């Protein structure tokens, strides 16, 4: 069985070479992707840790008055009749 396998490898050198090349390239691509994503993640972590160390956030105005209560502002009926151009 081993003899037949080695004979097949030697008979199809091009197929063996291209298969080995495909395996090497795929392993290199996966390793490169993992290294790249780790490098980018670490770079952004360091960037954000150094740039926002002493940040205090405060509103510019009083937000209590600007919070909507759920009431809908409506137009008075008299004004709506005056502005309606629907032929009435």
């Amino acid at each position: 069985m081993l003899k037949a396998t080695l004979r097949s490898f030697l008979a199809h050198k091009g197929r063996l070479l291209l298969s080995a090349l495909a395996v090497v390239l795929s392993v290199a691509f996966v390793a490169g992707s993992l290294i790249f994503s780790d490098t980018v993640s670490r770079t952004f972590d360091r960037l954000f840790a150094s740039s926002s160390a002493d940040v205090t956030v405060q509103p510019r105005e009083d937000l209590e008055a600007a919070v909507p209560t759920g009431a809908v502002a409506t137009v008075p009926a008299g004004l709506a009749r005056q502005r309606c151009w629907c032929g009435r």
Side-chain angles (χ1 to χ4, degrees):
M1 184 66 133
L2 183 60
K3 245 184 193 180
T5 304
L6 292 176
R7 191 176 299 149
S8 175
F9 280 157
L10 294 176
H12 303 287
K13 291 177 186 166
R15 187 186 333 171
L16 176 66
L17 180 67
L18 289 176
S19 296
L21 180 65
V23 169
V24 168
L25 287 177
S26 62
V27 169
F29 179 73
V30 169
S33 298
L34 293 174
I35 291 169
F36 177 73
S37 66
D38 186 52
T39 303
V40 169
S41 177
R42 190 176 304 159
T43 301
F44 277 109
D45 287 345
R46 288 180 185 168
L47 177 69
F48 291 134
S50 66
S51 67
S52 61
D54 297 325
V55 174
T56 304
V57 178
Q58 294 178 345
R60 293 185 182 179
E61 59 186 40
D62 182 24
L63 295 177
E64 300 272 330
V67 175
T69 61
V72 179
T74 59
V75 177
L79 182 61
R81 285 188 201 106
Q82 289 176 358
R83 299 287 179 190
C84 178
W85 292 7
C86 52
R88 292 184 187 171

